[in-house]
Amino acid sequence: MKVLVMGGTWFLGKEVVRGALRRGWDVTTFTRGRSAPDVPGATPVHGDRTSPEDLQRLVGSGPWDAVIDTSSSDLPPRDVLLATRTLHNAVARWVHISTVSVYEGWPHAPLTEDSPLLVCPPDADEAFGYTGADGSPTKYGFQKAGGERAVTEVFGERAVLLRPGVILGPGEYIGRLPWWLNRAHRGGPIVAPAPAGRWIQPVDVRDVAAFALDQAYREAGAKGAAYNIAHPEGIDFQGFLAACLEATGGAGSPVWTPAEHLLHHGVKQWTELPLWRTHAGVWAVDSARAVAAGLRCRPIRETVADTWAWLSAGGHPVTHPRWAKHGIAPEKEEKILASGGDGL
């Protein structure tokens, strides 16, 4: 099996490459060669995927049985379209890492793969789309929906679309789980978003990578599909914080604080308290189709423990601007705690 990984040196891309090499596959990676070292065992090709000349040079390293595209998250649809058109004759299948944000209803309504999508042309530039007043829909979601259309326009039934929600695990560069782990390790009273039984569905990066590889390896002629990637069992916030405290040995104690109290103090959902959002559909993503196709998700407690082990061993993520956006400032947390967590 010959596979081309667009990206392949950090977080999901790196896990895809490692997993493919463990399966004995012939792996080519295509990156700019700037963010992180190449994975030993893979054949690196360096270039800019927005450059027609670099993409045409990449074609000379093919052909491949499949592409797994992990590096299009910050690209406009027109650049995804450029890559798919250039590589069309050198690739049998395109596995595209998209996002649950492509749905019109996210994060307000429960979602299946049949839920309506945001509309964006496959050749749109970075200016297309908008972010709503309440944070949804997002410009990012429009852009990713256009990226999906760029893939399906060229590859048709040879395209597989994976739509994960939140991906956590060793190597995470956004900072959601690392912030909670470091906060648990610090101990003391911890502002926690009530209710304690709030359900969350993050998935482990290693499980997403394994499913992507399985989809790349489908039999010749198998039709493509779209899959929501969310933890089918999930965990409640109480269990999640308990896992963080257990993994870190922290002596903290959650103070379950109502949403109206947090909002009164201007706590930013999704970032200042990572993974917390009050919208009804944010953690109501149906992944039954992916599970039926072979998605297997390890317990979230295992993801928590392994991420702390990675951090404790000196693990350092690729520098990314989103890291600094996550986590509530200690002085703001102290103010909320001092004002009481059971009312305004």
Side-chain angles (χ1 to χ4, degrees):
M1 179 79 176
K2 292 187 65 176
V3 63
L4 167 64
V5 181
M6 304 289 279
T9 58
W10 46 288
F11 202 41
L12 178 57
K14 189 174 185 178
E15 288 299 331
V16 167
V17 172
R18 286 173 167 172
L21 292 171
R22 285 194 295 269
R23 298 182 187 205
W25 295 3
D26 184 329
V27 183
T28 302
T29 58
F30 185 62
T31 72
R32 293 177 300 173
R34 300 176 187 173
S35 298
D38 297 309
V39 176
T43 301
V45 178
H46 293 158
D48 187 338
R49 62 175 293 167
T50 68
S51 163
E53 294 77 18
D54 287 357
L55 286 170
Q56 195 58 55
R57 178 170 51 83
L58 173 63
V59 171
S61 298
W64 299 275
D65 298 300
V67 163
I68 302 178
D69 187 359
T70 69
S71 68
S72 68
S73 61
D74 296 325
L75 295 177
R78 66 179 181 186
D79 287 334
V80 179
L81 187 62
L82 171 64
T84 55
R85 286 176 172 173
T86 305
L87 294 167
H88 176 247
N89 292 325
V91 177
R93 182 181 304 281
W94 192 286
V95 179
H96 189 71
I97 309 300
S98 184
T99 171
V100 73
S101 297
V102 298
Y103 291 109
E104 281 185 5
W106 192 85
H108 299 283
L111 298 173
T112 71
E113 289 86 353
D114 296 323
S115 299
L117 302 174
L118 297 171
V119 177
C120 177
D123 59 351
D125 63 18
E126 60 276 3
F128 190 92
Y130 64 93
T131 296
D134 71 341
S136 64
T138 62
K139 186 175 181 179
Y140 172 74
F142 280 104
Q143 293 275 310
K144 292 294 283 185
E148 286 192 4
R149 286 191 61 189
V151 174
T152 56
E153 179 178 284
V154 176
F155 279 84
E157 293 184 342
R158 295 188 292 139
V160 179
L161 307 175
L162 306 188
R163 296 170 179 156
V166 172
I167 303 176
L168 304 178
E172 185 199 335
Y173 62 91
I174 292 178
R176 295 183 175 113
L177 179 51
W179 184 83
W180 278 115
L181 285 165
N182 286 320
R183 179 63 192 88
H185 184 248
R186 196 167 80 235
I190 301 171
V191 168
R198 184 188 300 274
W199 166 274
I200 61 175
Q201 296 176 281
V203 289
D204 191 290
V205 62
R206 295 162 293 187
D207 298 329
V208 179
F211 187 70
L213 291 167
D214 290 344
Q215 293 306 305
Y217 191 61
R218 299 173 74 187
E219 63 274 14
K223 292 184 178 180
Y227 297 100
N228 293 335
I229 311 297
H231 203 292
E233 298 174 4
I235 194 171
D236 62 24
F237 234 104
Q238 185 172 28
F240 171 73
L241 288 185
C244 290
L245 288 163
E246 180 181 352
T248 63
S253 55
V255 178
W256 297 102
T257 308
E260 60 268 23
H261 195 66
L262 297 172
L263 295 173
H264 174 75
H265 284 274
V267 177
K268 296 177 182 177
Q269 298 187 50
W270 212 233
T271 53
E272 284 193 298
L273 286 182
L275 307 180
W276 169 64
R277 199 165 182 175
T278 58
H279 301 76
V282 66
W283 298 115
V285 180
D286 186 349
S287 59
R289 180 186 292 181
V291 171
L295 174 67
R296 298 293 178 266
C297 292
R298 70 197 68 205
I300 294 172
R301 286 179 173 271
E302 183 178 330
T303 302
V304 170
D306 290 350
T307 302
W308 181 247
W310 165 71
L311 288 169
S312 299
H316 183 71
V318 171
T319 301
H320 196 278
R322 292 178 70 183
W323 182 281
K325 297 179 180 180
H326 288 85
I328 191 169
E331 57 273 18
K332 187 170 183 177
E333 183 180 23
E334 290 173 5
K335 182 178 180 181
I336 295 170
L337 290 167
S339 67
D342 56 357
L344 299 180

